[in-house]
Amino acid sequence: MNQKRKKYSILICDSLPEVGINMLKEHCIVDIQKGLNKNKLKKVISGYDAAVVRKAGIFSRAVIECAVNLKVIGLTGAGIDTTDVAAAQENDIAVVNSPDANSVAVAEYTFALMFALVRHLPRANRSLKDNRWEKKDLMGTGLAGKTLGLVGFGRIARQVASRALAFGMNIQVSQRRATPKKNTKLGVKTVDLKTLFSTSDFVSLHIPATPGNINFVGLEQLSCMKPTAYIINTSSGVVVDEDALLDSLNKGTLAGAALDVFKVEPAIDNLLVAHENVIVSPHIGASTDDAQQSSAIAIAEQILDILIEPEYENPLGLAVVPLNKVFPHELIDPRRVENLIEKINASDVFTNPPIVVPFKDYYVVLDGATRFSAFKKLGYPHIIVQVLKDSDEYKLDTWFHAIRKVDTELLMNLLNELPLITMTKSDLKTVQAEMVKYGGLCYLQTVDKTIYHIHSKPGVNHLDALNRLTDIYIKASHVTRTLHEDIDILINEFPDLTGVVAFPVFTLDQVLQITDAGNVMPAGITRSIISGRVMRLNADFEYLKSDRDIDEKNKWLYDLVMEKLSNDQTRYYAEPIYLMDE
């Protein structure tokens, strides 16, 4: 670790497996204070950069408003009811949890409860320990061929579904944002809530404890269930109307229930707990060593990712950056963007990263604006760029525009009618000096070798005039970028030439200031000469387009680059190149 970095302080308020504590101790100062109430927490929390908590409700708005240095709260369970998340967000405090860590444990426990219900395991265990052999009274039923209804289809429910398929069950789900096509591929049928409750042999609840889900399962749903059906709840006690469930059990309108969670915990003197057709446990669905270890690791990793900026800087200057932090300095041809989108959609790999320079808190594209625009139109969150930080790595030059396939008289009429500019005849010996003296936009040399110095009229913005000028002749003709301004060479190269437009060289500072002001230059004027440009990267498109966070992607990119470098899969070319597929 970089010794110059600040040693962050982390407060652990509840039990956390040693593996998580040790991970945090490698980089931070860890203070373990169990049993803090809200008042004590308010007094000490200002001294910490992060906190780990499990106890419900401890991080209230009042506590969070005292946490002036807090950057992240880690929740050691899948839920987020331990913390006022809205208050945390308002104070720029990240809230992280570990929903995936508990998914398998809770899914496995759901099946433990189902088997306990249908095979009468608690009664069988109790009776035999009481020296009663009740084999004839303990006839059970199987799971194969039965219908399992899943209310909600998130991480845990998907784990339950995959196991239910292995047992030969029929699975149907009801979810708020239904994805029937995706569910069908998983072997799962999508139904409405009433159908699920009325046709399922088992109903398993997997919905969060949001305000809208309080008493989500009430008398209306329970009355639809078959009298032979069972309901299992391993999600949250508040989602079930316990009075309605008790009433249904007493009336015999469903066979039984298995409950790991309750509205009030500990669930002492709860009539549901005492009911003979209910199997209960004290909120232990996620209580496995595996789940607790995984949760601790996941929380520690997320906290460290937020507190300690990862270092995945590779020797080639490649980086994955948010697309909303990248801005082109020039206009983009929509036709080229559409052509590139077709190629991107047909490709499995990302090839040529745009060239950018960092400026303030964003990046300015020097070369590769079309690729950036294609990614933006496709709605991708991130893009790979090559970041140039050293001025020795690049220099700016200028393209000239060869105007072709348009009548000279028509071109001159169009330009003379443009109210933003003035065209003055000149000659090659003096035109460059005139451009410097009068702030000229460019000069035009026609095929008859007449020179026109073009500058904006008094009071007209130079950039507006330049954009309008190029837009006029680009629409009226065919424009080819060229390195030549010698009219004789160009006539030989392009028999249909009308003239050539020569621009002054823009400095990097000018380009950056134009972009920072929210403006763009005409396309195809600035030319970036890059030393050590990266092309044919061939990075996996699916990974780049995925919803993984940016740190994961930068680690992936770092590993990719270092592997290619170490395996001699890179070659350096100093020569200029021609791109024949642009």
Side-chain angles (χ1 to χ4, degrees), residues 61 64-65 67 70 86-94:
R61 179 176 288 275
I64 286 171
E65 288 176 350
L70 206 64
Q89 290 174 339
E90 290 170 16
N91 288 274
D92 294 325
I93 300 170

Side-chain angles (χ1 to χ4, degrees), residues 185-233:
K185 290 181 180 179
L186 298 172
V188 174
K189 183 181 179 182
T190 306
V191 298
D192 60 71
L193 198 63
K194 185 175 182 180
T195 299
L196 184 142
F197 272 89
S198 62
T199 61
S200 296
D201 298 299
F202 300 88
V203 173
S204 186
L205 307 180
H206 301 282
I207 51 178
T210 60
N213 285 342
I214 295 175
N215 291 335
F216 185 88
V217 178
L219 190 59
E220 180 183 353
Q221 289 76 31
L222 294 168
S223 62
C224 294
M225 295 181 69
K226 297 188 290 187
T228 56
Y230 299 89
I231 189 166
I232 301 106
N233 188 13

Side-chain angles (χ1 to χ4, degrees), residues 8 47 88 90 99 115 155 183 186 200 203 210 220 250-251 279 334 339 341-342 374 396 406 447 449 534 540 582:
Y8 291 101
E90 290 170 16
F115 277 117
R155 297 177 180 88
N183 293 348
L186 298 172
S200 296
V203 173
T210 60
E220 180 183 353
N250 287 335
K251 290 179 179 177
I279 292 173
N339 289 339
I341 285 175
E342 289 184 18
L396 291 185
V406 61
V447 287
K449 298 188 179 181
V534 175
D540 179 25
E582 286 290 282

Side-chain angles (χ1 to χ4, degrees), residues 471-524:
D471 183 58
I472 286 291
Y473 67 70
I474 287 173
K475 287 181 177 178
S477 65
H478 182 94
V479 174
T480 302
R481 286 181 293 178
T482 178
L483 298 177
H484 300 295
E485 57 182 322
D486 189 308
I487 201 73
D488 293 322
I489 294 175
L490 290 170
I491 290 173
N492 186 56
E493 187 175 355
F494 304 116
D496 54 3
L497 185 73
T498 306
V500 61
V501 179
F503 302 95
V505 175
F506 288 84
T507 67
L508 180 61
D509 284 343
Q510 288 174 316
V511 169
L512 295 178
Q513 293 304 325
I514 287 170
T515 308
D516 197 45
N519 299 317
V520 287
M521 296 175 60

Side-chain angles (χ1 to χ4, degrees), residues 162-282:
S162 68
R163 287 155 178 77
L165 287 170
F167 281 112
M169 302 185 78
N170 303 310
I171 307 162
Q172 53 188 17
V173 304
S174 173
Q175 58 190 138
R176 182 161 294 175
R177 297 180 180 87
T179 54
K181 288 184 179 179
K182 185 176 181 180
N183 293 348
T184 300
K185 290 181 180 179
L186 298 172
V188 174
K189 183 181 179 182
T190 306
V191 298
D192 60 71
L193 198 63
K194 185 175 182 180
T195 299
L196 184 142
F197 272 89
S198 62
T199 61
S200 296
D201 298 299
F202 300 88
V203 173
S204 186
L205 307 180
H206 301 282
I207 51 178
T210 60
N213 285 342
I214 295 175
N215 291 335
F216 185 88
V217 178
L219 190 59
E220 180 183 353
Q221 289 76 31
L222 294 168
S223 62
C224 294
M225 295 181 69
K226 297 188 290 187
T228 56
Y230 299 89
I231 189 166
I232 301 106
N233 188 13
T234 56
S235 60
S236 172
V238 301
V239 305
V240 175
D241 184 334
E242 291 185 348
D243 292 335
L245 177 57
L246 184 63
D247 185 57
S248 297
L249 290 165
N250 287 335
K251 290 179 179 177
T253 55
L254 72 159
L259 308 173
D260 183 49
V261 288
F262 302 87
K263 278 193 173 177
V264 177
E265 296 180 358
I268 307 300
D269 296 326
N270 187 314
L271 294 177
L272 277 172
V273 173
H275 200 283
E276 61 179 351
N277 292 334
V278 178
I279 292 173
V280 295
S281 56

Side-chain angles (χ1 to χ4, degrees), residues 270-324:
N270 187 314
L271 294 177
L272 277 172
V273 173
H275 200 283
E276 61 179 351
N277 292 334
V278 178
I279 292 173
V280 295
S281 56
H283 204 151
I284 60 173
S287 298
T288 68
D289 289 339
D290 298 329
Q292 299 302 312
Q293 297 280 335
S294 296
S295 176
I297 291 170
I299 290 297
E301 285 178 341
Q302 292 179 85
I303 290 174
L304 292 174
D305 282 347
I306 290 171
L307 293 184
I308 302 173
E309 184 178 347
E311 295 181 345
Y312 298 130
E313 188 170 326
N314 58 74
L316 303 183
L318 295 173
V320 180
V321 300
L323 209 65
N324 62 6

